[in-house]
Coordinates of all heavy atoms in Angstrom, one line a residue:
M1 N 61.0 72.6 179.2 CA 60.5 73.1 180.5 C 61.7 73.3 181.4 O 62.4 72.3 181.7 CB 59.5 72.1 181.1 CG 58.2 72.1 180.4 SD 57.1 70.9 181.0 CE 57.6 69.5 180.0
T2 N 62.0 74.5 181.7 CA 63.2 74.8 182.4 C 63.0 75.3 183.8 O 63.9 75.5 184.5 CB 64.1 75.8 181.6 OG1 63.3 77.0 181.4 CG2 64.5 75.3 180.3
E3 N 61.8 75.7 184.1 CA 61.5 76.3 185.4 C 60.9 75.3 186.4 O 60.2 74.4 186.1 CB 60.6 77.5 185.2 CG 61.2 78.6 184.3 CD 60.4 79.9 184.4 OE1 60.2 80.4 185.5 OE2 60.0 80.3 183.3
N4 N 61.2 75.6 187.7 CA 60.6 74.9 188.7 C 59.1 75.3 188.7 O 58.8 76.5 188.5 CB 61.3 75.3 190.0 CG 60.6 74.9 191.3 OD1 59.5 75.3 191.6 ND2 61.3 74.1 192.0
F5 N 58.2 74.4 188.9 CA 56.8 74.7 188.9 C 56.4 75.8 189.9 O 55.7 76.7 189.5 CB 55.9 73.4 189.2 CG 54.5 73.6 189.0 CD1 53.9 73.5 187.7 CD2 53.7 74.0 190.1 CE1 52.5 73.7 187.5 CE2 52.3 74.2 189.9 CZ 51.8 74.1 188.6
Y6 N 56.9 75.7 191.1 CA 56.4 76.7 192.1 C 57.0 78.1 191.8 O 56.3 79.1 192.0 CB 56.8 76.2 193.5 CG 56.2 74.9 193.8 CD1 56.9 73.8 193.7 CD2 54.8 74.9 194.1 CE1 56.3 72.5 194.0 CE2 54.2 73.6 194.4 CZ 54.9 72.5 194.3 OH 54.3 71.3 194.5
E7 N 58.2 78.2 191.2 CA 58.7 79.5 190.8 C 57.9 80.0 189.6 O 57.7 81.2 189.6 CB 60.2 79.4 190.5 CG 61.1 79.0 191.7 CD 62.5 78.7 191.2 OE1 62.8 78.5 190.1 OE2 63.4 78.5 192.2
A8 N 57.6 79.2 188.7 CA 56.9 79.6 187.5 C 55.5 80.0 187.9 O 54.9 81.0 187.4 CB 56.8 78.4 186.5
F9 N 54.9 79.3 188.9 CA 53.5 79.7 189.3 C 53.6 81.1 189.9 O 52.7 82.0 189.6 CB 53.0 78.7 190.4 CG 51.6 79.0 190.8 CD1 50.6 78.4 190.1 CD2 51.3 79.9 191.8 CE1 49.2 78.7 190.4 CE2 50.0 80.1 192.3 CZ 49.0 79.5 191.5
E10 N 54.6 81.4 190.8 CA 54.7 82.7 191.4 C 54.9 83.8 190.3 O 54.5 84.9 190.4 CB 55.8 82.7 192.4 CG 55.4 82.0 193.7 CD 56.4 82.1 194.8 OE1 57.5 82.7 194.6 OE2 56.2 81.5 195.8
K11 N 55.8 83.5 189.3 CA 56.1 84.4 188.2 C 55.0 84.7 187.3 O 54.8 85.8 186.8 CB 57.3 83.8 187.5 CG 58.0 84.7 186.4 CD 59.2 84.1 185.9 CE 59.9 84.9 184.8 NZ 61.1 84.2 184.3
Y12 N 54.3 83.7 186.8 CA 53.3 83.8 185.7 C 51.8 83.8 186.1 O 51.0 84.3 185.4 CB 53.5 82.8 184.7 CG 54.9 82.7 184.1 CD1 55.7 81.6 184.3 CD2 55.4 83.8 183.4 CE1 57.0 81.6 183.7 CE2 56.6 83.8 182.8 CZ 57.5 82.7 183.0 OH 58.7 82.6 182.5
I13 N 51.5 83.1 187.3 CA 50.1 82.9 187.6 C 49.6 83.7 188.8 O 48.5 84.2 188.8 CB 49.9 81.3 187.9 CG1 50.3 80.5 186.7 CG2 48.4 81.1 188.2 CD1 49.7 80.9 185.3
L14 N 50.4 83.7 189.9 CA 50.0 84.4 191.1 C 49.6 85.8 190.9 O 50.2 86.5 190.1 CB 51.2 84.3 192.1 CG 50.9 84.7 193.5 CD1 49.8 83.8 194.1 CD2 52.1 84.7 194.4
N15 N 48.5 86.2 191.4 CA 47.9 87.5 191.3 C 47.4 87.9 190.0 O 47.0 89.1 189.7 CB 48.9 88.6 191.8 CG 49.2 88.4 193.3 OD1 48.3 88.1 194.1 ND2 50.5 88.5 193.6
Q16 N 47.3 86.9 189.0 CA 46.7 87.2 187.7 C 45.2 87.0 187.8 O 44.7 86.1 188.5 CB 47.3 86.3 186.6 CG 48.7 86.6 186.4 CD 48.9 87.9 185.6 OE1 48.2 88.2 184.6 NE2 49.9 88.7 186.0
K17 N 44.4 87.7 187.0 CA 43.0 87.5 186.9 C 42.7 86.4 185.9 O 43.3 86.4 184.8 CB 42.2 88.8 186.5 CG 42.3 89.8 187.6 CD 41.6 91.1 187.1 CE 41.7 92.1 188.2 NZ 41.0 93.4 187.7
V18 N 41.7 85.6 186.2 CA 41.2 84.5 185.3 C 40.4 85.2 184.2 O 39.5 86.0 184.5 CB 40.4 83.5 186.0 CG1 39.7 82.5 185.1 CG2 41.2 82.8 187.1
T19 N 40.7 84.8 183.0 CA 40.0 85.3 181.8 C 39.2 84.3 181.0 O 38.5 84.5 180.2 CB 40.9 86.1 180.8 OG1 41.9 85.2 180.3 CG2 41.6 87.3 181.5
G20 N 39.5 83.0 181.4 CA 38.8 81.9 180.7 C 39.2 80.6 181.2 O 40.1 80.4 182.0
W21 N 38.4 79.6 180.8 CA 38.7 78.2 181.2 C 38.1 77.3 180.2 O 37.2 77.7 179.3 CB 38.2 77.9 182.6 CG 36.7 78.2 182.7 CD1 35.6 77.4 182.4 CD2 36.1 79.4 183.1 NE1 34.4 78.0 182.6 CE2 34.7 79.3 183.0 CE3 36.6 80.6 183.5 CZ2 33.8 80.3 183.4 CZ3 35.7 81.7 183.9 CH2 34.4 81.5 183.8
G22 N 38.5 76.0 180.2 CA 37.9 75.1 179.2 C 38.7 73.8 179.2 O 39.4 73.5 180.2
F23 N 38.6 73.1 178.1 CA 39.3 71.8 177.9 C 40.1 71.9 176.6 O 39.5 72.4 175.6 CB 38.3 70.7 177.9 CG 39.0 69.3 177.8 CD1 39.4 68.7 178.9 CD2 39.3 68.7 176.5 CE1 40.1 67.5 178.9 CE2 39.9 67.5 176.4 CZ 40.3 66.9 177.6
Q24 N 41.3 71.5 176.7 CA 42.2 71.5 175.5 C 42.5 70.1 175.2 O 43.0 69.3 176.0 CB 43.5 72.2 175.8 CG 44.5 72.1 174.6 CD 45.7 73.0 174.9 OE1 45.7 74.2 175.1 NE2 46.9 72.3 174.9
H25 N 42.1 69.7 173.9 CA 42.5 68.4 173.4 C 44.0 68.3 173.1 O 44.6 69.3 173.0 CB 41.6 68.0 172.1 CG 40.2 67.8 172.4 ND1 39.7 66.7 172.9 CD2 39.2 68.7 172.3 CE1 38.4 66.8 173.1 NE2 38.1 68.0 172.7
E26 N 44.5 67.1 173.1 CA 45.9 66.9 173.0 C 46.5 67.7 171.7 O 45.9 67.7 170.7 CB 46.2 65.4 172.7 CG 47.6 65.0 172.8 CD 47.8 63.5 172.7 OE1 47.8 63.0 171.6 OE2 47.9 62.9 173.8
K27 N 47.5 68.5 172.0 CA 48.1 69.4 171.1 C 49.6 69.2 171.1 O 50.2 69.3 172.1 CB 47.7 70.9 171.4 CG 48.2 72.0 170.5 CD 47.8 73.3 171.0 CE 48.3 74.4 170.2 NZ 47.9 75.7 170.7
K28 N 50.2 69.0 169.9 CA 51.5 68.7 169.7 C 52.3 70.1 169.7 O 52.0 70.9 168.9 CB 51.9 67.9 168.5 CG 53.3 67.6 168.2 CD 53.4 66.7 166.9 CE 54.8 66.4 166.7 NZ 54.9 65.6 165.4
V29 N 53.3 70.3 170.6 CA 54.0 71.5 170.6 C 55.5 71.1 170.8 O 55.9 70.2 171.4 CB 53.6 72.5 171.8 CG1 52.3 73.0 171.5 CG2 53.7 71.8 173.2
L30 N 56.4 71.9 170.1 CA 57.8 71.7 170.2 C 58.4 72.4 171.3 O 58.2 73.6 171.5 CB 58.4 72.2 168.8 CG 60.0 72.0 168.7 CD1 60.3 70.5 168.8 CD2 60.4 72.7 167.4
L31 N 59.1 71.7 172.1 CA 59.8 72.3 173.3 C 61.2 72.9 172.9 O 61.7 72.5 171.9 CB 60.0 71.2 174.4 CG 58.7 70.6 174.9 CD1 59.1 69.5 175.9 CD2 57.9 71.7 175.6
P32 N 61.7 73.8 173.7 CA 63.0 74.4 173.3 C 64.1 73.4 173.2 O 65.1 73.6 172.5 CB 63.3 75.4 174.5 CG 61.9 75.8 175.0 CD 61.0 74.5 174.8
N33 N 64.0 72.3 173.9 CA 65.0 71.2 173.9 C 64.9 70.3 172.7 O 65.7 69.3 172.5 CB 65.0 70.4 175.1 CG 63.8 69.6 175.4 OD1 62.9 69.6 174.5 ND2 63.6 69.0 176.5
G34 N 64.0 70.6 171.8 CA 63.8 69.8 170.6 C 62.8 68.6 170.7 O 62.5 67.9 169.7
Y35 N 62.3 68.3 171.9 CA 61.4 67.3 172.1 C 60.0 67.8 171.9 O 59.8 69.0 172.0 CB 61.5 66.7 173.5 CG 62.8 65.8 173.6 CD1 63.9 66.4 174.3 CD2 62.8 64.5 173.1 CE1 65.1 65.6 174.4 CE2 64.0 63.8 173.3 CZ 65.1 64.3 173.9 OH 66.2 63.6 174.1
F36 N 59.0 66.9 171.8 CA 57.6 67.4 171.7 C 56.9 67.1 173.0 O 57.2 66.1 173.7 CB 56.9 66.6 170.5 CG 57.3 67.1 169.2 CD1 58.3 66.4 168.5 CD2 56.8 68.2 168.6 CE1 58.7 66.8 167.3 CE2 57.2 68.7 167.4 CZ 58.2 68.0 166.7
A37 N 55.9 67.9 173.3 CA 54.9 67.7 174.4 C 53.5 67.7 173.8 O 53.3 68.3 172.7 CB 55.1 68.8 175.4
Y38 N 52.6 67.1 174.5 CA 51.2 67.0 174.1 C 50.3 67.4 175.2 O 49.5 66.6 175.7 CB 51.0 65.5 173.6 CG 51.8 65.1 172.5 CD1 53.1 64.5 172.8 CD2 51.5 65.2 171.2 CE1 54.0 64.1 171.8 CE2 52.3 64.7 170.2 CZ 53.6 64.2 170.5 OH 54.4 63.8 169.5
P39 N 50.3 68.7 175.6 CA 49.5 69.1 176.7 C 48.0 69.0 176.4 O 47.5 69.4 175.3 CB 49.8 70.5 176.9 CG 50.5 71.0 175.7 CD 51.1 69.8 175.0
S40 N 47.3 68.4 177.3 CA 45.8 68.3 177.2 C 45.2 68.2 178.6 O 45.8 67.8 179.5 CB 45.4 67.1 176.4 OG 45.8 65.9 177.1
G41 N 43.9 68.7 178.6 CA 43.2 68.6 179.9 C 42.5 69.9 180.2 O 42.4 70.7 179.3
Y42 N 41.9 70.0 181.4 CA 41.1 71.2 181.7 C 42.1 72.3 182.1 O 43.2 72.0 182.7 CB 40.3 70.9 182.9 CG 39.1 70.0 182.6 CD1 39.2 68.6 182.8 CD2 38.0 70.5 182.0 CE1 38.1 67.8 182.5 CE2 36.9 69.7 181.6 CZ 37.0 68.3 181.9 OH 36.0 67.5 181.5
F43 N 41.9 73.5 181.6 CA 42.8 74.6 181.9 C 42.0 75.8 182.4 O 40.8 76.0 182.3 CB 43.5 75.0 180.6 CG 42.6 75.6 179.5 CD1 42.3 76.9 179.6 CD2 42.1 74.8 178.5 CE1 41.5 77.5 178.5 CE2 41.2 75.4 177.6 CZ 41.0 76.7 177.6
T44 N 42.8 76.7 183.1 CA 42.4 78.0 183.4 C 43.3 79.0 182.8 O 44.6 78.8 182.8 CB 42.5 78.2 185.0 OG1 41.7 77.2 185.6 CG2 42.0 79.5 185.4
E45 N 42.8 80.0 182.1 CA 43.6 81.0 181.4 C 43.6 82.3 182.1 O 42.6 82.7 182.7 CB 43.1 81.2 180.0 CG 44.0 82.1 179.2 CD 43.6 82.2 177.7 OE1 42.6 81.6 177.3 OE2 44.4 82.8 176.9
Y46 N 44.8 82.9 182.2 CA 44.9 84.2 182.9 C 45.1 85.4 182.0 O 45.5 85.2 180.8 CB 46.1 84.0 183.9 CG 45.8 82.9 184.9 CD1 46.1 81.6 184.6 CD2 45.2 83.2 186.1 CE1 45.8 80.5 185.5 CE2 44.8 82.2 187.0 CZ 45.1 80.8 186.7 OH 44.8 79.8 187.5
E47 N 45.0 86.5 182.6 CA 45.0 87.8 181.8 C 46.4 88.0 181.0 O 46.3 88.7 180.0 CB 44.8 89.0 182.7 CG 45.8 89.2 183.8 CD 45.4 90.3 184.7 OE1 44.7 91.2 184.3 OE2 45.8 90.3 185.9
N48 N 47.5 87.4 181.4 CA 48.7 87.5 180.7 C 48.9 86.5 179.6 O 49.9 86.4 179.0 CB 49.9 87.4 181.7 CG 50.0 86.1 182.4 OD1 49.1 85.2 182.2 ND2 50.9 86.0 183.3
G49 N 47.8 85.6 179.4 CA 47.9 84.6 178.3 C 48.4 83.3 178.7 O 48.3 82.3 178.0
Y50 N 48.9 83.2 180.0 CA 49.4 81.9 180.5 C 48.3 81.0 180.9 O 47.2 81.6 181.3 CB 50.4 82.1 181.6 CG 51.8 82.5 181.1 CD1 52.0 83.8 180.7 CD2 52.8 81.5 181.1 CE1 53.3 84.2 180.3 CE2 54.1 81.9 180.6 CZ 54.3 83.2 180.2 OH 55.6 83.6 179.8
K51 N 48.4 79.7 180.9 CA 47.4 78.8 181.3 C 48.0 77.8 182.3 O 49.1 77.5 182.2 CB 46.9 78.0 180.1 CG 46.1 78.7 179.1 CD 45.7 77.8 177.9 CE 45.0 78.5 176.8 NZ 44.7 77.7 175.7
V52 N 47.1 77.3 183.2 CA 47.4 76.2 184.0 C 46.6 75.1 183.5 O 45.3 75.3 183.4 CB 47.2 76.4 185.5 CG1 47.4 75.2 186.3 CG2 48.2 77.5 186.0
I53 N 47.1 74.0 183.2 CA 46.4 72.9 182.6 C 46.6 71.6 183.5 O 47.7 71.3 183.9 CB 46.8 72.6 181.1 CG1 45.8 71.7 180.4 CG2 48.2 72.1 181.0 CD1 46.0 71.7 178.9
A54 N 45.6 70.9 183.8 CA 45.6 69.7 184.6 C 45.1 68.5 183.9 O 44.2 68.6 183.1 CB 44.8 69.9 185.9
S55 N 45.8 67.4 184.1 CA 45.4 66.1 183.5 C 45.7 65.0 184.4 O 46.4 65.1 185.4 CB 46.0 65.9 182.1 OG 47.4 65.9 182.3
G56 N 45.0 63.9 184.3 CA 45.3 62.7 185.1 C 45.3 61.5 184.2 O 44.9 61.4 183.1
A57 N 46.0 60.4 184.7 CA 46.1 59.2 184.0 C 46.4 58.1 185.0 O 46.6 58.3 186.2 CB 47.4 59.3 183.1
T58 N 46.3 56.9 184.5 CA 46.6 55.7 185.4 C 47.7 54.9 184.7 O 47.6 54.6 183.6 CB 45.3 54.8 185.5 OG1 44.3 55.6 186.2 CG2 45.6 53.6 186.4
L59 N 48.7 54.7 185.5 CA 49.8 53.8 185.0 C 49.9 52.6 185.8 O 50.2 52.6 187.0 CB 51.2 54.6 185.1 CG 51.4 55.8 184.3 CD1 52.7 56.5 184.7 CD2 51.3 55.5 182.9
H60 N 49.4 51.4 185.3 CA 49.2 50.2 186.0 C 48.1 50.5 187.1 O 47.0 50.8 186.8 CB 50.4 49.6 186.4 CG 50.3 48.3 187.0 ND1 49.6 47.2 186.3 CD2 50.7 47.7 188.2 CE1 49.7 46.1 187.1 NE2 50.3 46.4 188.2
K61 N 48.5 50.4 188.3 CA 47.6 50.7 189.5 C 47.9 52.0 190.1 O 47.3 52.4 191.1 CB 47.7 49.6 190.5 CG 47.2 48.2 190.0 CD 47.3 47.2 191.1 CE 46.7 45.9 190.6 NZ 46.7 44.9 191.6
T62 N 48.8 52.9 189.5 CA 49.1 54.1 190.1 C 48.4 55.3 189.4 O 48.5 55.4 188.1 CB 50.7 54.4 190.0 OG1 51.3 53.3 190.6 CG2 51.0 55.7 190.7
N63 N 47.7 56.1 190.1 CA 47.0 57.3 189.6 C 48.0 58.4 189.6 O 48.6 58.7 190.6 CB 45.8 57.6 190.4 CG 44.7 56.5 190.3 OD1 44.5 55.9 189.3 ND2 44.1 56.3 191.4
I64 N 48.0 59.1 188.4 CA 49.0 60.2 188.2 C 48.2 61.5 188.0 O 47.3 61.5 187.2 CB 49.9 60.0 187.1 CG1 50.7 58.6 187.2 CG2 50.9 61.1 186.8 CD1 51.7 58.6 188.3
Q65 N 48.5 62.5 188.7 CA 48.0 63.9 188.4 C 49.0 64.7 188.0 O 50.1 64.8 188.6 CB 47.3 64.4 189.7 CG 46.4 65.6 189.5 CD 45.1 65.3 188.7 OE1 44.6 64.2 188.9 NE2 44.8 66.2 187.9
E66 N 48.8 65.5 186.9 CA 49.9 66.4 186.4 C 49.3 67.7 186.1 O 48.2 67.9 185.7 CB 50.4 65.8 185.0 CG 51.4 66.6 184.4 CD 51.9 66.0 183.1 OE1 51.1 65.8 182.2 OE2 53.1 65.7 183.0
A67 N 50.1 68.8 186.4 CA 49.8 70.1 186.1 C 50.9 70.8 185.4 O 52.1 70.5 185.6 CB 49.6 70.9 187.4
M68 N 50.5 71.6 184.3 CA 51.5 72.3 183.5 C 51.2 73.8 183.5 O 50.0 74.1 183.5 CB 51.6 71.8 182.2 CG 52.3 70.5 182.0 SD 52.6 70.1 180.2 CE 51.3 68.9 180.0
I69 N 52.2 74.6 183.4 CA 52.0 76.0 183.1 C 52.4 76.2 181.6 O 53.5 75.8 181.3 CB 52.8 76.9 184.0 CG1 52.2 76.7 185.4 CG2 52.7 78.4 183.6 CD1 53.1 77.4 186.5
L70 N 51.5 76.7 180.8 CA 51.7 77.0 179.4 C 51.9 78.4 179.1 O 51.1 79.2 179.7 CB 50.6 76.4 178.5 CG 50.2 75.0 178.8 CD1 49.0 74.6 177.8 CD2 51.3 74.0 178.5
D71 N 52.9 78.8 178.3 CA 53.0 80.2 177.9 C 51.9 80.6 176.9 O 51.2 79.7 176.5 CB 54.4 80.5 177.4 CG 54.7 79.9 176.0 OD1 53.8 79.5 175.3 OD2 55.9 79.9 175.6
P72 N 51.8 81.8 176.5 CA 50.8 82.3 175.6 C 50.7 81.5 174.2 O 49.7 81.4 173.6 CB 51.0 83.7 175.4 CG 51.6 84.2 176.7 CD 52.5 83.0 177.1
N73 N 51.9 80.9 173.9 CA 52.0 80.1 172.6 C 51.6 78.7 172.8 O 51.7 77.8 171.9 CB 53.3 80.2 172.0 CG 53.6 81.7 171.6 OD1 52.7 82.3 170.9 ND2 54.8 82.2 171.9
G74 N 51.3 78.3 174.1 CA 50.9 76.9 174.3 C 52.1 76.0 174.7 O 52.0 74.8 174.8
I75 N 53.3 76.6 174.9 CA 54.5 75.8 175.2 C 54.6 75.6 176.7 O 54.5 76.7 177.4 CB 55.7 76.5 174.7 CG1 55.6 76.9 173.2 CG2 57.0 75.7 174.9 CD1 55.5 75.7 172.3
P76 N 54.8 74.4 177.2 CA 54.9 74.2 178.6 C 56.2 74.9 179.2 O 57.3 74.6 178.6 CB 55.0 72.7 178.8 CG 54.3 72.2 177.6 CD 54.7 73.2 176.5
V77 N 56.1 75.7 180.2 CA 57.3 76.3 180.8 C 57.6 75.6 182.1 O 58.7 75.7 182.7 CB 57.1 77.8 181.0 CG1 57.0 78.5 179.7 CG2 55.9 78.1 181.9
A78 N 56.7 74.9 182.7 CA 56.8 74.2 184.0 C 55.8 73.1 184.1 O 54.7 73.1 183.6 CB 56.8 75.1 185.2
R79 N 56.2 72.0 184.9 CA 55.4 70.9 185.0 C 55.5 70.3 186.5 O 56.7 70.3 187.0 CB 55.7 69.8 184.0 CG 55.0 68.5 184.1 CD 55.4 67.6 183.0 NE 56.6 66.9 183.4 CZ 56.6 65.5 183.5 NH1 55.5 64.8 183.1 NH2 57.7 64.9 183.8
D80 N 54.4 69.8 187.0 CA 54.5 69.1 188.3 C 53.7 67.8 188.2 O 52.6 67.9 187.7 CB 54.0 70.0 189.4 CG 54.2 69.4 190.8 OD1 55.3 68.7 191.0 OD2 53.4 69.7 191.7
T81 N 54.2 66.7 188.6 CA 53.6 65.4 188.6 C 53.6 64.8 190.0 O 54.6 64.9 190.7 CB 54.3 64.5 187.6 OG1 54.4 65.1 186.3 CG2 53.5 63.2 187.4
E82 N 52.4 64.2 190.3 CA 52.3 63.6 191.6 C 51.5 62.3 191.5 O 50.5 62.2 190.8 CB 51.7 64.6 192.6 CG 51.6 64.1 194.0 CD 51.0 65.2 194.9 OE1 51.3 66.3 194.7 OE2 50.2 64.8 195.8
D83 N 51.9 61.3 192.2 CA 51.1 60.1 192.4 C 50.0 60.4 193.4 O 50.3 61.0 194.4 CB 51.9 58.9 192.9 CG 53.1 58.5 192.0 OD1 53.1 58.9 190.9 OD2 53.9 57.7 192.4
T84 N 48.8 60.0 193.1 CA 47.7 60.1 194.0 C 47.4 58.8 194.6 O 47.5 57.7 194.0 CB 46.5 60.8 193.3 OG1 46.1 59.9 192.2 CG2 46.8 62.2 192.8
I85 N 47.0 58.8 195.8 CA 46.6 57.6 196.5 C 45.1 57.3 196.3 O 44.3 58.2 196.5 CB 46.9 57.7 198.0 CG1 48.4 58.0 198.2 CG2 46.4 56.5 198.8 CD1 48.8 58.4 199.6
S86 N 44.8 56.2 195.9 CA 43.4 55.8 195.7 C 42.7 55.7 197.1 O 43.3 55.4 198.0 CB 43.2 54.4 195.0 OG 43.8 54.4 193.8
C87 N 41.4 56.1 197.1 CA 40.7 56.1 198.3 C 39.2 55.7 198.0 O 38.7 56.0 196.9 CB 40.7 57.3 199.1 SG 40.1 58.8 198.3
D88 N 38.6 55.1 198.9 CA 37.1 54.8 198.7 C 36.3 55.9 199.2 O 36.5 56.5 200.3 CB 36.8 53.5 199.5 CG 37.5 52.3 198.9 OD1 37.8 52.3 197.7 OD2 37.9 51.4 199.8
Y89 N 35.2 56.3 198.4 CA 34.3 57.4 198.9 C 33.0 56.7 199.3 O 32.6 55.8 198.8 CB 34.1 58.4 197.7 CG 35.4 59.2 197.4 CD1 36.2 58.9 196.4 CD2 35.7 60.3 198.2 CE1 37.3 59.6 196.1 CE2 36.8 61.0 198.0 CZ 37.6 60.7 196.9 OH 38.7 61.4 196.7

């Protein structure tokens, strides 16, 4: 993943029409740097074949939300991770 998430969003996602959505189970993909990634979660697919996939996890007491932009081959090109603050509803 070599691109800044916001730059990749503007380049691949902004102004694209949604063509599908769903859930992707963990899928092993080889990154250009030789490491593996395992993107999974709910996704939105766009007319150019790119996807935005979101997932969440808990690390100890910290909730983590992650978003990735995947190219048409399922390879992540950008990622953004954020700690979320727990709140009572």
Side-chain angles (χ1 to χ4, degrees):
M1 288 175 274
T2 58
E3 297 191 54
N4 172 296
F5 186 85
Y6 300 102
E7 291 170 357
F9 186 88
E10 287 183 1
K11 184 176 180 181
Y12 302 115
I13 304 301
L14 191 63
N15 298 318
Q16 292 288 313
K17 291 182 183 179
V18 173
T19 59
W21 56 86
F23 184 85
Q24 177 174 300
H25 290 279
E26 194 172 85
K27 181 179 176 182
K28 183 179 180 180
V29 294
L30 180 62
L31 299 174
N33 64 5
Y35 290 100
F36 287 97
Y38 303 85
S40 65
Y42 290 97
F43 68 84
T44 303
E45 185 171 7
Y46 297 87
E47 62 186 333
N48 61 1
Y50 282 77
K51 293 180 182 176
V52 173
I53 192 165
S55 60
T58 301
L59 298 174
H60 188 51
K61 293 184 178 182
T62 303
N63 295 321
I64 305 292
Q65 190 71 35
E66 179 178 61
M68 282 191 259
I69 297 174
L70 308 179
D71 73 10
N73 295 316
I75 308 296
V77 295
R79 174 178 91 116
D80 189 29
T81 304
E82 185 174 321
D83 295 349
T84 58
I85 300 169
S86 298
C87 60
D88 296 326
Y89 292 100

